Amino acid sequence: MPEYTVKLSKTVQKQLDLIQGAAFDKIIESIEHLAHNPRPSGYIKLKGREGCRIRVGNYRIIYDIYDNVLVIEVLAIGYRKDIYR
């Protein structure tokens, strides 16, 4: 299976800066795994909004998959109650 390039926007980098501790480590690990498998078990294609999402504890990672150019663009990372607003 080909490896994807994962891109983080400046907004996502700022969102990551607000997360600390073990949650941060798990989120980084999950983002790195997306490069190898952009559709892991438990991923969901969002309705009413572009992208897919995966759960990492109480956090959600929302991202787009561009299969034609092998790119994953992370759109947002946030706490589960706040991410969909």
Side-chain angles (χ1 to χ4, degrees):
M1 183 165 199
E3 188 159 322
Y4 286 70
T5 301
V6 178
K7 295 187 177 185
L8 305 177
S9 68
K10 288 182 182 177
T11 304
V12 168
Q13 298 215 357
K14 288 179 184 177
Q15 291 168 338
L16 269 174
D17 290 342
L18 300 174
I19 301 168
Q20 299 173 355
F24 177 83
D25 296 335
K26 287 182 181 180
I27 288 169
I28 294 297
E29 185 178 322
S30 296
I31 290 172
E32 289 172 353
H33 284 302
L34 287 176
H36 306 291
N37 182 9
R39 295 172 181 87
S41 69
Y43 100 100
I44 293 179
K45 182 97 173 90
L46 297 175
K47 296 176 184 166
R49 178 178 179 169
E50 288 290 313
C52 303
R53 79 117 168 105
I54 56 172
R55 292 173 32 190
V56 181
N58 287 328
Y59 289 88
R60 304 295 181 262
I61 301 172
I62 297 176
Y63 60 98
D64 270 333
I65 304 169
Y66 300 100
D67 288 316
N68 54 339
V69 289
L70 298 179
V71 170
I72 293 171
E73 182 180 6
V74 179
L75 304 173
I77 298 172
Y79 195 74
R80 65 187 175 99
K81 290 182 181 178
D82 305 322
I83 192 70
Y84 300 109
R85 293 186 185 149

